[in-house]
PDB file of all heavy atoms in Angstrom:
ATOM      1  N   LYS A  15      21.963  -9.311 -40.532  1.00  0.00           N
ATOM      2  CA  LYS A  15      21.019  -8.244 -40.456  1.00  0.00           C
ATOM      3  C   LYS A  15      19.563  -8.798 -40.247  1.00  0.00           C
ATOM      4  O   LYS A  15      18.823  -8.262 -39.494  1.00  0.00           O
ATOM      5  CB  LYS A  15      21.098  -7.361 -41.716  1.00  0.00           C
ATOM      6  CG  LYS A  15      22.364  -6.530 -41.829  1.00  0.00           C
ATOM      7  CD  LYS A  15      22.358  -5.669 -43.046  1.00  0.00           C
ATOM      8  CE  LYS A  15      23.638  -4.869 -43.137  1.00  0.00           C
ATOM      9  NZ  LYS A  15      23.666  -3.901 -44.282  1.00  0.00           N
ATOM     10  N   LEU A  18      19.215 -10.063 -36.775  1.00  0.00           N
ATOM     11  CA  LEU A  18      19.066  -9.028 -35.842  1.00  0.00           C
ATOM     12  C   LEU A  18      17.732  -8.365 -35.833  1.00  0.00           C
ATOM     13  O   LEU A  18      17.149  -7.980 -34.756  1.00  0.00           O
ATOM     14  CB  LEU A  18      20.144  -7.939 -36.092  1.00  0.00           C
ATOM     15  CG  LEU A  18      20.257  -6.821 -35.113  1.00  0.00           C
ATOM     16  CD1 LEU A  18      20.580  -7.366 -33.725  1.00  0.00           C
ATOM     17  CD2 LEU A  18      21.308  -5.813 -35.524  1.00  0.00           C
ATOM     18  N   ALA A  25      12.807  -9.072 -28.839  1.00  0.00           N
ATOM     19  CA  ALA A  25      13.344  -8.412 -27.601  1.00  0.00           C
ATOM     20  C   ALA A  25      12.453  -7.312 -27.149  1.00  0.00           C
ATOM     21  O   ALA A  25      12.329  -7.169 -25.943  1.00  0.00           O
ATOM     22  CB  ALA A  25      14.766  -7.872 -27.951  1.00  0.00           C
ATOM     23  N   ASP A  46       0.268  -3.299  -0.666  1.00  0.00           N
ATOM     24  CA  ASP A  46       0.386  -4.125   0.562  1.00  0.00           C
ATOM     25  C   ASP A  46       0.988  -3.281   1.728  1.00  0.00           C
ATOM     26  O   ASP A  46       0.583  -3.395   2.868  1.00  0.00           O
ATOM     27  CB  ASP A  46       1.289  -5.355   0.303  1.00  0.00           C
ATOM     28  CG  ASP A  46       0.625  -6.362  -0.554  1.00  0.00           C
ATOM     29  OD1 ASP A  46      -0.632  -6.308  -0.729  1.00  0.00           O
ATOM     30  OD2 ASP A  46       1.301  -7.263  -1.136  1.00  0.00           O
ATOM     31  N   VAL A  61     -12.915  -6.509  13.111  1.00  0.00           N
ATOM     32  CA  VAL A  61     -14.297  -6.468  13.583  1.00  0.00           C
ATOM     33  C   VAL A  61     -14.504  -5.220  14.382  1.00  0.00           C
ATOM     34  O   VAL A  61     -13.794  -4.991  15.369  1.00  0.00           O
ATOM     35  CB  VAL A  61     -14.676  -7.737  14.398  1.00  0.00           C
ATOM     36  CG1 VAL A  61     -16.116  -7.694  14.824  1.00  0.00           C
ATOM     37  CG2 VAL A  61     -14.378  -8.965  13.554  1.00  0.00           C
ATOM     38  N   PRO A  76     -17.295  16.647  22.127  1.00  0.00           N
ATOM     39  CA  PRO A  76     -16.310  16.866  23.193  1.00  0.00           C
ATOM     40  C   PRO A  76     -16.763  18.140  23.920  1.00  0.00           C
ATOM     41  O   PRO A  76     -17.159  19.149  23.373  1.00  0.00           O
ATOM     42  CB  PRO A  76     -15.041  17.108  22.397  1.00  0.00           C
ATOM     43  CG  PRO A  76     -15.500  17.460  21.019  1.00  0.00           C
ATOM     44  CD  PRO A  76     -16.759  16.767  20.794  1.00  0.00           C
ATOM     45  N   ALA A  88      -3.391  32.756  35.694  1.00  0.00           N
ATOM     46  CA  ALA A  88      -3.295  31.284  35.845  1.00  0.00           C
ATOM     47  C   ALA A  88      -3.635  30.637  34.552  1.00  0.00           C
ATOM     48  O   ALA A  88      -4.553  31.010  33.809  1.00  0.00           O
ATOM     49  CB  ALA A  88      -4.212  30.818  36.965  1.00  0.00           C
ATOM     50  N   ALA A 106     -15.308  -9.035  25.711  1.00  0.00           N
ATOM     51  CA  ALA A 106     -15.623 -10.418  25.555  1.00  0.00           C
ATOM     52  C   ALA A 106     -15.850 -10.782  24.054  1.00  0.00           C
ATOM     53  O   ALA A 106     -15.748 -11.965  23.654  1.00  0.00           O
ATOM     54  CB  ALA A 106     -16.926 -10.782  26.350  1.00  0.00           C
ATOM     55  N   VAL A 178      -3.666   7.728  20.594  1.00  0.00           N
ATOM     56  CA  VAL A 178      -3.186   6.757  21.541  1.00  0.00           C
ATOM     57  C   VAL A 178      -3.767   5.426  21.210  1.00  0.00           C
ATOM     58  O   VAL A 178      -5.002   5.291  20.986  1.00  0.00           O
ATOM     59  CB  VAL A 178      -3.491   7.114  23.106  1.00  0.00           C
ATOM     60  CG1 VAL A 178      -3.087   5.989  24.008  1.00  0.00           C
ATOM     61  CG2 VAL A 178      -2.851   8.489  23.413  1.00  0.00           C
ATOM     62  N   ASP A 182      -2.840  -4.989  23.463  1.00  0.00           N
ATOM     63  CA  ASP A 182      -2.745  -6.132  24.380  1.00  0.00           C
ATOM     64  C   ASP A 182      -1.358  -6.618  24.375  1.00  0.00           C
ATOM     65  O   ASP A 182      -0.845  -7.239  23.390  1.00  0.00           O
ATOM     66  CB  ASP A 182      -3.703  -7.248  23.830  1.00  0.00           C
ATOM     67  CG  ASP A 182      -3.834  -8.360  24.872  1.00  0.00           C
ATOM     68  OD1 ASP A 182      -2.971  -8.537  25.720  1.00  0.00           O
ATOM     69  OD2 ASP A 182      -4.855  -9.176  24.773  1.00  0.00           O
ATOM     70  N   LYS A 220      10.207  12.859  17.749  1.00  0.00           N
ATOM     71  CA  LYS A 220      11.013  13.869  17.258  1.00  0.00           C
ATOM     72  C   LYS A 220      10.359  15.239  17.400  1.00  0.00           C
ATOM     73  O   LYS A 220      11.003  16.306  17.756  1.00  0.00           O
ATOM     74  CB  LYS A 220      11.408  13.682  15.828  1.00  0.00           C
ATOM     75  CG  LYS A 220      12.373  14.714  15.210  1.00  0.00           C
ATOM     76  CD  LYS A 220      12.708  14.326  13.768  1.00  0.00           C
ATOM     77  CE  LYS A 220      13.637  15.378  13.145  1.00  0.00           C
ATOM     78  NZ  LYS A 220      13.939  15.011  11.731  1.00  0.00           N
ATOM     79  N   SER A 223      10.239  16.073  21.133  1.00  0.00           N
ATOM     80  CA  SER A 223      11.502  15.977  21.818  1.00  0.00           C
ATOM     81  C   SER A 223      11.413  14.873  22.914  1.00  0.00           C
ATOM     82  O   SER A 223      11.819  15.104  24.064  1.00  0.00           O
ATOM     83  CB  SER A 223      12.008  17.287  22.410  1.00  0.00           C
ATOM     84  OG  SER A 223      12.133  18.246  21.373  1.00  0.00           O
ATOM     85  N   VAL A 274     -11.340  -5.459  16.837  1.00  0.00           N
ATOM     86  CA  VAL A 274     -10.823  -6.820  16.982  1.00  0.00           C
ATOM     87  C   VAL A 274     -10.005  -7.132  15.683  1.00  0.00           C
ATOM     88  O   VAL A 274     -10.640  -7.150  14.623  1.00  0.00           O
ATOM     89  CB  VAL A 274     -11.890  -7.810  17.266  1.00  0.00           C
ATOM     90  CG1 VAL A 274     -11.271  -9.241  17.481  1.00  0.00           C
ATOM     91  CG2 VAL A 274     -12.702  -7.425  18.505  1.00  0.00           C
ATOM     92  N   ARG A 350      13.310 -16.409 -50.197  1.00  0.00           N
ATOM     93  CA  ARG A 350      14.445 -15.916 -50.905  1.00  0.00           C
ATOM     94  C   ARG A 350      15.580 -16.968 -50.993  1.00  0.00           C
ATOM     95  O   ARG A 350      16.539 -16.757 -51.669  1.00  0.00           O
ATOM     96  CB  ARG A 350      14.990 -14.686 -50.213  1.00  0.00           C
ATOM     97  CG  ARG A 350      14.043 -13.487 -50.274  1.00  0.00           C
ATOM     98  CD  ARG A 350      14.778 -12.213 -49.858  1.00  0.00           C
ATOM     99  NE  ARG A 350      15.305 -12.267 -48.477  1.00  0.00           N
ATOM    100  CZ  ARG A 350      14.472 -11.850 -47.420  1.00  0.00           C
ATOM    101  NH1 ARG A 350      13.306 -11.407 -47.705  1.00  0.00           N
ATOM    102  NH2 ARG A 350      14.932 -11.920 -46.228  1.00  0.00           N
ATOM    103  N   LEU A 361      20.410 -32.678 -53.513  1.00  0.00           N
ATOM    104  CA  LEU A 361      21.641 -33.439 -53.129  1.00  0.00           C
ATOM    105  C   LEU A 361      21.205 -34.519 -52.044  1.00  0.00           C
ATOM    106  O   LEU A 361      22.144 -35.217 -51.606  1.00  0.00           O
ATOM    107  CB  LEU A 361      22.647 -32.416 -52.452  1.00  0.00           C
ATOM    108  CG  LEU A 361      23.254 -31.437 -53.402  1.00  0.00           C
ATOM    109  CD1 LEU A 361      24.083 -30.452 -52.658  1.00  0.00           C
ATOM    110  CD2 LEU A 361      24.038 -32.142 -54.441  1.00  0.00           C
ATOM    111  N   ILE A 388      15.609  -9.617 -22.119  1.00  0.00           N
ATOM    112  CA  ILE A 388      15.798  -9.680 -20.675  1.00  0.00           C
ATOM    113  C   ILE A 388      16.679  -8.550 -20.249  1.00  0.00           C
ATOM    114  O   ILE A 388      16.466  -7.909 -19.177  1.00  0.00           O
ATOM    115  CB  ILE A 388      16.385 -11.043 -20.258  1.00  0.00           C
ATOM    116  CG1 ILE A 388      15.281 -12.140 -20.543  1.00  0.00           C
ATOM    117  CG2 ILE A 388      16.832 -11.026 -18.859  1.00  0.00           C
ATOM    118  CD1 ILE A 388      15.800 -13.555 -20.292  1.00  0.00           C
ATOM    119  N   VAL A 401      14.584   5.701 -10.185  1.00  0.00           N
ATOM    120  CA  VAL A 401      13.909   6.947 -10.112  1.00  0.00           C
ATOM    121  C   VAL A 401      12.849   6.984  -8.914  1.00  0.00           C
ATOM    122  O   VAL A 401      12.699   7.971  -8.271  1.00  0.00           O
ATOM    123  CB  VAL A 401      13.117   7.154 -11.433  1.00  0.00           C
ATOM    124  CG1 VAL A 401      12.184   8.419 -11.368  1.00  0.00           C
ATOM    125  CG2 VAL A 401      14.087   7.306 -12.602  1.00  0.00           C
ATOM    126  N   GLY A 415     -19.426   4.907  12.565  1.00  0.00           N
ATOM    127  CA  GLY A 415     -18.526   5.028  13.751  1.00  0.00           C
ATOM    128  C   GLY A 415     -17.547   3.981  13.843  1.00  0.00           C
ATOM    129  O   GLY A 415     -17.619   3.062  14.622  1.00  0.00           O
ATOM    130  N   LEU A 443       7.539   3.994  -5.631  1.00  0.00           N
ATOM    131  CA  LEU A 443       7.311   2.824  -6.470  1.00  0.00           C
ATOM    132  C   LEU A 443       8.653   2.170  -6.835  1.00  0.00           C
ATOM    133  O   LEU A 443       9.597   2.803  -7.135  1.00  0.00           O
ATOM    134  CB  LEU A 443       6.619   3.284  -7.730  1.00  0.00           C
ATOM    135  CG  LEU A 443       6.327   2.067  -8.796  1.00  0.00           C
ATOM    136  CD1 LEU A 443       5.414   1.041  -8.229  1.00  0.00           C
ATOM    137  CD2 LEU A 443       5.768   2.670 -10.060  1.00  0.00           C
ATOM    138  N   GLY A 462       8.684 -17.676 -29.227  1.00  0.00           N
ATOM    139  CA  GLY A 462       8.830 -16.846 -30.445  1.00  0.00           C
ATOM    140  C   GLY A 462       9.682 -17.469 -31.507  1.00  0.00           C
ATOM    141  O   GLY A 462       9.324 -17.396 -32.718  1.00  0.00           O
ATOM    142  N   PHE A 469       6.557 -20.999 -39.136  1.00  0.00           N
ATOM    143  CA  PHE A 469       6.213 -20.297 -40.383  1.00  0.00           C
ATOM    144  C   PHE A 469       7.219 -20.698 -41.458  1.00  0.00           C
ATOM    145  O   PHE A 469       6.829 -21.156 -42.602  1.00  0.00           O
ATOM    146  CB  PHE A 469       6.264 -18.831 -40.183  1.00  0.00           C
ATOM    147  CG  PHE A 469       4.943 -18.215 -39.721  1.00  0.00           C
ATOM    148  CD1 PHE A 469       4.709 -18.194 -38.301  1.00  0.00           C
ATOM    149  CD2 PHE A 469       4.040 -17.735 -40.602  1.00  0.00           C
ATOM    150  CE1 PHE A 469       3.487 -17.624 -37.844  1.00  0.00           C
ATOM    151  CE2 PHE A 469       2.852 -17.220 -40.076  1.00  0.00           C
ATOM    152  CZ  PHE A 469       2.579 -17.182 -38.727  1.00  0.00           C
TER     153      PHE A 469
END
Side-chain angles (χ1 to χ4, degrees):
K15 291 184 178 179
L18 185 60
D46 289 343
V61 180
V178 176
D182 188 341
K220 182 178 180 180
S223 300
V274 181
R350 291 194 297 271
L361 294 176
I388 291 174
V401 174
L443 176 65
F469 274 87

